[in-house]
Amino acid sequence: MTEVKGIIENEENKILEVKNLTKYFDVSSGIFSKKSYVHAVEDVSFDLYKGETLGVVGESGSGKSTLGRVLIKLLKPTSGEVLYKDRDISKIRGKEFKPIRRELQMVFQDPYASLNPRFKIGNTIAEPLLANKVSGDAKSVRKTVEELLELVGLKKEMYDRYPHEFSGGQRQRISIARAIALKPKILVCDEAVSALDVSVQAQILNLFNELKKKFNFTYIFIGHDLSVVKYLSDRILVMYLGEVVELATTESLFEKTLHPYTEALVSAIPEPTIRKKTNRIILNGDIPSPLNPPSGCRFATRCFKASERCKTSHPELIEVEPGHFVRCHHYDVRKEEKING
Ligand SMILES: Nc1ncnc2c1ncn2[C@@H]1O[C@H](COP(=O)(O)OP(=O)(O)OP(=O)(O)O)[C@@H](O)[C@H]1O
Ligand SMILES: [Mg+2]
């Protein structure tokens, strides 16, 4: 992990400013029926700093992938802003966006689905280089791809092979080579190791670490497994039903876990070395429908600390300690007490 304190204390280090970002999907069944929307991402705000790895965790359907996609303009937000170099990227169109696209890249979960089975893997990696005309003639493109292969721990002789000739871990290395071919500034890794065996996961996580040291990439590392996300992240953002419920440095999130949902996630990690010894918290029921999220605290229906107020009033995200944010009425109270006396 990098020295996150130094990174986030420096305002000039901001690489992305996310303001009230919201993404709804229109899932109305017919033109005459009542409009219905999936509230996939709701009012998300945070800053991302150069060279940090921000982990994003939450259970299935909490909006992690949607957030990742909106952040790099693979999806258009319903409202809110994503400021990159002081400009809202959702408003930059066409040709003007092309140089920015190079700087914002994504690595997906399923490396097999993201590689064209009929393309030699070298050609797949060369594609972004050719499309952006960055490496000159065919010979120099090949050389650049061979260097990329070696950089991600493969052999340059593998250029002419096809995806089916590789293992899952190797295919993920190929996807990473393609994603970093244009030396992006921000790399969104969406469940990039989730489909791999545990031992291979560790190798790919190490590769991410090495590449970060070499190129000072900024990562947004999305995953549902907090123990994996923890390994790489300087800070962690916890999502529940489209909202940020907690955001803190990795250390702070584990040492001073605030949100009951985060407590449940932390308690589910098996290794006793990673967390304080506590009993496993089993949450009741499933995540509520994102079509009609609860009007009070979205987590209240499953929360073991919920009071009457939690069911009716929606909590704001508040900064309880410098850099440690939480959305929970239990900490609203403390803040009010502090102000009053
Ligand atoms: N294109 C779409 N159209 C309609 N609903 C969508 C679309 N994409 C995502 N959703 C919905 O938005 C919500 C958030 O989905 P998202 O894929 O972002 O969650 P996630 O946290 O990445 O989940 P997972 O861990 O399963 O990958 C879900 O309820 C999902 O069904
Ligand atoms: Mg996802």
Side-chain angles (χ1 to χ4, degrees), residues 170-199:
Q170 286 176 322
R171 286 201 289 262
Q172 197 55 297
R173 288 177 193 271
I174 298 164
S175 301
I176 293 168
R178 183 185 153 98
I180 65 168
L182 296 168
K183 301 283 176 304
K185 301 279 188 259
I186 300 177
L187 205 52
V188 175
C189 309
D190 189 0
E191 306 273 6
V193 298
S194 306
L196 306 172
D197 288 347
V198 175
S199 61

Side-chain angles (χ1 to χ4, degrees), residues 127-176:
E127 217 180 15
L129 296 167
L130 295 167
N132 286 278
K133 303 185 183 79
V134 285
S135 277
D137 60 8
K139 209 171 155 196
S140 64
V141 169
R142 185 165 181 119
K143 191 163 174 290
T144 308
V145 173
E146 287 175 350
E147 283 166 6
L148 282 163
L149 284 170
E150 287 181 338
L151 201 60
V152 297
L154 297 171
K155 295 198 171 65
K156 62 180 183 191
E157 296 74 34
M158 292 173 170
Y159 187 111
D160 294 304
R161 296 203 197 153
Y162 291 89
H164 72 267
E165 298 174 57
F166 293 89
S167 68
Q170 286 176 322
R171 286 201 289 262
Q172 197 55 297
R173 288 177 193 271
I174 298 164
S175 301
I176 293 168

Side-chain angles (χ1 to χ4, degrees), residues 185-336:
K185 301 279 188 259
I186 300 177
L187 205 52
V188 175
C189 309
D190 189 0
E191 306 273 6
V193 298
S194 306
L196 306 172
D197 288 347
V198 175
S199 61
V200 183
Q201 270 188 359
Q203 293 166 12
I204 301 294
L205 290 173
N206 284 339
L207 174 63
F208 278 123
N209 256 341
E210 282 165 28
L211 294 173
K212 178 173 161 166
K213 272 186 216 143
K214 218 172 237 159
F215 301 108
N216 199 30
F217 289 142
T218 306
Y219 290 132
I220 295 181
F221 194 82
I222 298 171
H224 60 273
D225 185 341
L226 186 55
S227 60
V228 172
V229 172
K230 176 194 195 280
Y231 177 77
L232 218 63
S233 304
D234 300 301
R235 289 192 301 155
I236 296 181
L237 185 152
V238 183
M239 288 188 79
Y240 186 80
L241 212 53
E243 290 184 324
V244 177
V245 294
E246 191 160 359
L247 169 63
T249 61
T250 304
E251 201 186 353
S252 192
L253 193 92
F254 278 82
E255 291 296 315
K256 299 178 200 157
T257 314
L258 297 180
H259 200 283
Y261 179 60
T262 318
E263 272 185 61
L265 292 183
V266 171
S267 83
I269 296 178
E271 295 109 300
T273 47
I274 255 177
R275 60 180 172 90
K276 287 178 273 178
K277 266 206 158 99
T278 47
N279 290 331
R280 170 105 196 246
I281 300 165
I282 311 277
L283 295 175
N284 294 324
D286 288 329
I287 193 163
S289 165
L291 280 175
N292 197 5
S295 57
C297 170
R298 290 191 175 183
F299 186 56
T301 54
R302 298 167 79 195
C303 183
F304 48 93
K305 290 186 177 167
S307 61
E308 272 313 301
R309 182 181 176 207
C310 304
K311 290 176 194 157
T312 51
S313 139
H314 185 251
E316 297 296 315
L317 189 71
I318 55 167
E319 193 170 11
V320 174
E321 279 180 25
H324 197 144
F325 298 82
V326 67
R327 187 188 295 280
C328 175
H329 283 312
H330 290 85
Y331 304 96
D332 282 3
V333 176
R334 273 191 215 166
K335 198 182 171 198
E336 280 158 20

Side-chain angles (χ1 to χ4, degrees), residues 8-141:
I8 65 176
E9 274 173 1
N10 186 350
E11 278 290 301
E12 283 178 15
N13 262 342
K14 256 186 217 172
I15 189 164
L16 214 59
E17 274 181 76
V18 182
K19 294 185 178 173
N20 311 102
L21 196 64
T22 296
K23 175 70 187 175
Y24 291 170
F25 292 106
D26 186 347
V27 288
S28 318
S29 49
I31 41 172
F32 299 114
S33 63
K34 208 174 146 234
K35 285 274 179 201
S36 55
Y37 298 94
V38 170
H39 296 221
V41 171
E42 189 108 61
D43 197 20
V44 169
S45 301
F46 66 91
D47 295 328
L48 185 71
Y49 295 88
K50 265 181 222 158
E52 78 162 324
T53 299
L54 177 72
V56 178
V57 287
E59 67 201 291
S60 187
S62 55
K64 307 178 297 293
S65 299
T66 307
L67 175 65
R69 283 163 197 256
V70 177
L71 289 180
I72 60 166
K73 203 177 148 118
L74 292 178
L75 278 175
K76 198 172 172 290
T78 304
S79 61
E81 294 180 335
V82 179
L83 300 178
Y84 179 66
K85 296 180 176 165
D86 297 322
R87 293 184 66 196
D88 184 0
I89 55 167
S90 62
K91 299 207 169 65
I92 307 174
R93 303 202 193 286
K95 258 191 181 161
E96 219 194 332
F97 187 69
K98 213 176 164 198
I100 302 176
R101 163 60 55 235
R102 289 175 52 171
E103 299 181 357
L104 311 175
Q105 291 287 327
M106 192 145 185
V107 179
F108 297 93
Q109 169 171 3
D110 183 352
Y112 202 61
S114 55
L115 298 174
N116 188 329
R118 284 173 298 152
F119 275 24
K120 290 177 177 172
I121 59 114
N123 293 342
T124 294
I125 300 170
E127 217 180 15
L129 296 167
L130 295 167
N132 286 278
K133 303 185 183 79
V134 285
S135 277
D137 60 8
K139 209 171 155 196
S140 64
V141 169

